[in-house]
Amino acid sequence: MNRLLTSLLPLAAALAAPVAMAGPLEDLRARSPEQEVIYFVLPDRFENGDPSNDAGGLKGGKLATGFDPADKAFYHGGDLKGLTQRLGYIQNLGATAIWVGPIFKNKPVQGPKGGESAGYHGYWITDFTHVDPHFGTDAEFKALVDAAHARGMKVYMDIIVNHTADVIQYREGAAQEYPYRSKADYPFSRKGGVSGAPINPGFAGDGDAGAANWAKMTDPSFAYIPYVPKGEEHVKAPAWLNDPIYYHNRGNTDWKGESAQYGDFVGLDDLATENPRVVEGMIAIYGDWIDKYGVDGFRIDTAKHVNPEFWRAFVPAMKARAAAKGIPNFHIFGEVMTGDYEPALLASWTRNAGLPGVLDFAFMHAVLKAAGGGSSEELARLPDDDGLYEGGAKAAMQLPTFLGNHDAGRAAMFLKAANPAMSADELLRRDELAHAMLLTLRGVPTIYYGDEQGFAGVGGDQLSRQDMFASKVAIYNGEALVGTANSTATENFDPAHPLYRLIAQLSALRVKTRALTQGPSVTRAASEKPGLVAISRFDPTTGREVLLAFNTSTAPVSAAVAVDPASLAFETLAGTACAATASAPGSVRVELPPLGFAVCAAKP
């Protein structure tokens, strides 16, 4: 660690106290989104504070309760009480906001026979109005929010409007097998295809959002014949969600074109978010969570699979509801997943749908490519591409940035895949380098739980959702962790882990350095090959420059880097020691060890 943190010792005093801003709730509310460091956690996999709720109050085996701590696809026992008990661990890491995976009541188990799994992740909602008993109670969620606020920490809820759990079935057979049926081949005006009997007379299509138009949509059997199985007629809450008329009912998405918006996600009931009753209902549901609990923001699951018109109604309503609750900086960001560096696609959802922010997948791809020893040219493009977002570069500062997540996989996994033969020490150093980029470059740094303890995994989804408490899952316990000889067979809340220490130190630096939270960026150096990456950020008030330099190669780097001519003397804020003075007005010498970094602030 010394090679990367030679200048961080002055921060030790800062780390002795909690990093997050302490004080009254008004101080917390005053912080804008870009001033936060987010910690993303799945409650089921974090800490088990109350074993009595492990089965969610249900009786029977795993297929009834959803609980099996030895199966990666089922509930493991983590809950809200456990998360509340570990707030100090999260705060000392440097997090000022917690993004909590969905906590709503889920269908405990679903899937075809032999392929069942549980709703431990929270994305199979049946009751949008209460906490899932596997996680605890409504009162325990309130206790979590209140405890976080008392520490000066915000709480962001993970929400879903695109779909519910898989309840609605089709008369034609098992929903899992149904291909998508398009609006052209199966229009709203005919039953079961263009040659079918006329239905829904006078319905002008879902492009007309008027209530009078949607009152004419009375028969949902235009593509398939949907029905609710016996015994599940009232399983969803609020009650209006039980009526198939409020769903698309067109079969499973193939993730392309029209079906990406209208298709079921492997059987999940896809809501007709074009319907004004659905818009009104979702605004009421999530407005109530703001009113009751005073949460500070929403992460929106599957945002790109919902029509943009929905977001243009929903987002202003949530902002207004939050403002009325005394929450002026309510942070809303949607999931618009991309498989590559595609800032134009991400930005289109801020312009066309009015989303204030999106998860910055472009940043993830750019940083992992550079830190993994590939080209840094995409990383160099970020400051220019930020102009694509609604509101430009300033708005882009509110994009949550990240290195990996519960769907794509963990940062260490991607880094290892790029360099399969590298040593354990090199993997740690590259992981540290990637986190140094995350915590100093623009955006809102988002730490995926467990990354600070060296979790890696071998894939996304279930393979990247390890337990922080002692795990019983064999595939998790057989994995090598980064930076430690521990395994997931024992609990992993070690504040001495090198990644935990690095993240804590850089988070402390970030939250007290305005150039790093709110400063514009200028690319200074990048390359197709491993080597120097340099980006300057500037204090938005004083103009003071902070030069960020990263070496993505396994050889030392020595190079002249352009800086502002007024930046004549430097102090080292983090990493390798910086040159004390500029070589000449407009140029400074940067010397970095293999996979090293430096944060150099110009002196006034």
Side-chain angles (χ1 to χ4, degrees):
M1 284 298 293
N2 289 339
R3 63 179 170 269
L4 291 178
L5 300 172
T6 55
S7 64
L8 282 168
L9 292 177
L11 289 173
L15 288 172
V19 172
M21 187 184 301
L25 189 59
E26 290 76 14
D27 290 344
L28 176 154
R29 302 295 197 209
R31 297 201 307 260
S32 55
E34 67 269 19
Q35 293 178 277
E36 311 300 339
V37 174
I38 302 172
Y39 188 80
F40 169 37
V41 59
L42 294 178
D44 180 64
R45 302 299 165 91
F46 195 66
E47 179 64 293
N48 191 345
D50 184 4
S52 71
N53 63 28
D54 287 355
L58 302 171
K59 304 295 183 182
K62 64 188 287 186
L63 295 184
T65 68
F67 177 67
D68 182 354
D71 190 326
K72 70 183 188 307
F74 283 74
Y75 286 96
H76 291 176
D79 50 36
L80 295 173
K81 187 175 287 186
L83 180 55
T84 304
Q85 292 169 354
R86 292 288 187 178
L87 285 177
Y89 167 88
I90 298 172
Q91 185 174 38
N92 289 334
L93 180 66
T96 64
I98 306 171
W99 156 13
V100 183
I103 49 85
F104 314 99
K105 187 175 181 180
N106 269 227
K107 191 170 187 177
V109 177
Q110 64 180 47
K113 187 173 182 179
E116 301 93 344
S117 60
Y120 69 91
H121 41 68
Y123 294 105
W124 298 344
I125 305 172
T126 53
D127 186 346
F128 286 76
T129 65
H130 292 293
V131 169
D132 191 294
H134 290 88
F135 299 147
T137 65
D138 295 356
E140 285 168 347
F141 181 64
K142 185 177 188 305
L144 168 66
V145 176
D146 290 347
H149 285 171
R151 291 174 172 269
M153 303 172 74
K154 296 181 179 180
V155 176
Y156 297 159
M157 294 184 74
D158 199 321
I159 70 168
I160 304 96
V161 305
N162 177 67
H163 58 263
T164 72
D166 180 14
V167 175
I168 297 172
Q169 303 298 312
Y170 300 139
R171 292 291 181 192
E172 291 83 353
Q176 299 287 337
E177 300 174 0
Y178 279 99
Y180 181 75
R181 291 183 170 178
S182 71
K183 291 198 291 182
D185 292 329
Y186 296 87
F188 295 115
S189 60
R190 294 290 186 271
K191 187 179 183 72
V194 293
S195 60
I199 57 173
N200 304 315
F203 181 62
D206 61 5
D208 181 345
N213 178 52
W214 281 90
K216 298 170 184 175
M217 165 60 75
T218 58
D219 188 341
S221 60
F222 36 81
Y224 291 101
I225 302 175
Y227 74 98
V228 176
K230 187 176 181 179
E232 294 189 285
E233 296 92 344
H234 306 291
V235 73
K236 295 181 185 179
W240 63 268
L241 286 164
N242 292 295
D243 190 338
I245 201 69
Y246 298 119
Y247 297 83
H248 285 134
N249 303 309
R250 289 188 173 277
N252 289 318
T253 182
D254 61 11
W255 317 107
K256 301 170 186 175
E258 177 188 297
S259 85
Q261 180 176 313
Y262 289 86
D264 297 341
F265 276 44
V266 199
L268 294 173
D269 301 348
D270 202 69
L271 279 156
T273 46
E274 303 81 12
N275 189 320
R277 179 65 183 89
V278 176
V279 178
E280 170 195 326
M282 284 295 166
I283 287 173
I285 287 169
Y286 290 116
D288 283 349
W289 284 92
I290 295 173
D291 289 347
K292 290 179 180 178
Y293 302 98
V295 294
D296 306 284
F298 289 153
R299 178 267 188 182
I300 304 170
D301 180 66
T302 54
K304 77 172 182 179
H305 300 289
V306 175
N307 57 307
E309 295 82 1
F310 177 93
W311 299 125
R312 289 201 169 276
F314 183 84
V315 168
M318 294 300 98
K319 289 278 194 179
R321 199 73 164 255
K325 182 72 175 177
I327 310 171
N329 288 301
F330 195 79
H331 196 186
I332 297 177
F333 50 98
E335 178 197 29
V336 179
M337 186 179 292
T338 67
D340 209 337
Y341 181 85
E342 297 182 83
L345 174 60
L346 298 175
S348 71
W349 284 86
T350 68
R351 291 188 175 274
N352 301 333
L355 289 172
V358 292
L359 287 168
D360 197 349
F361 278 87
F363 180 97
M364 181 194 84
H365 292 297
V367 167
L368 290 177
K369 182 178 289 186
S375 170
S376 57
E377 290 186 312
E378 289 175 350
L379 191 58
R381 281 179 49 191
L382 270 176
D384 289 336
D385 287 342
D386 283 349
L388 296 168
Y389 294 92
E390 182 69 29
K394 184 176 181 180
M397 291 182 193
Q398 295 193 9
L399 304 181
T401 52
F402 62 100
L403 302 177
N405 64 22
H406 60 319
D407 291 324
R410 295 184 179 274
M413 179 202 74
F414 288 111
L415 294 170
K416 181 69 173 176
N419 303 270
M422 69 178 162
S423 67
D425 181 65
E426 182 179 340
L427 177 57
L428 171 61
R429 291 159 67 193
R430 289 192 182 278
D431 208 344
E432 290 171 331
L433 182 64
H435 279 90
M437 292 177 176
L438 175 68
L439 287 157
T440 56
L441 296 173
R442 75 98 180 100
V444 188
T446 303
I447 309 298
Y448 181 39
Y449 86 95
D451 280 4
E452 77 282 3
Q453 294 296 331
F455 288 8
V458 293
D461 197 72
Q462 295 174 11
L463 294 171
S464 62
R465 301 172 182 178
Q466 296 89 341
D467 303 310
M468 292 285 283
F469 55 98
S471 182
K472 297 181 180 179
V473 179
I475 192 170
Y476 294 163
N477 295 342
E479 297 168 359
L481 304 187
V482 180
T484 178
N486 292 344
S487 78
T488 56
T490 59
E491 70 171 40
N492 283 274
F493 295 98
D494 181 10
H497 190 288
L499 282 164
Y500 185 100
R501 290 171 55 205
L502 175 70
I503 293 168
Q505 290 168 320
L506 290 180
S507 295
L509 173 64
R510 182 183 186 90
V511 299
K512 71 175 187 178
T513 307
R514 290 195 67 204
L516 300 184
T517 58
Q518 298 170 297
S521 304
V522 175
T523 299
R524 301 298 194 184
S527 173
E528 290 184 357
K529 299 178 180 179
L532 179 65
V533 180
I535 295 175
S536 289
R537 303 193 66 190
F538 297 85
D539 187 295
T541 301
T542 66
R544 182 191 187 199
E545 182 174 10
V546 177
L547 177 66
L548 311 173
F550 311 95
N551 181 7
T552 66
S553 76
T554 54
V557 162
S558 177
V561 174
V563 291
D564 190 282
S567 300
L568 298 175
F570 293 87
E571 61 177 317
T572 304
L573 299 185
T576 301
C578 307
T581 59
S583 305
S587 179
V588 67
R589 196 78 188 171
V590 170
E591 310 259 358
L592 293 175
L595 303 175
F597 75 93
V599 181
C600 309
K603 292 183 178 180

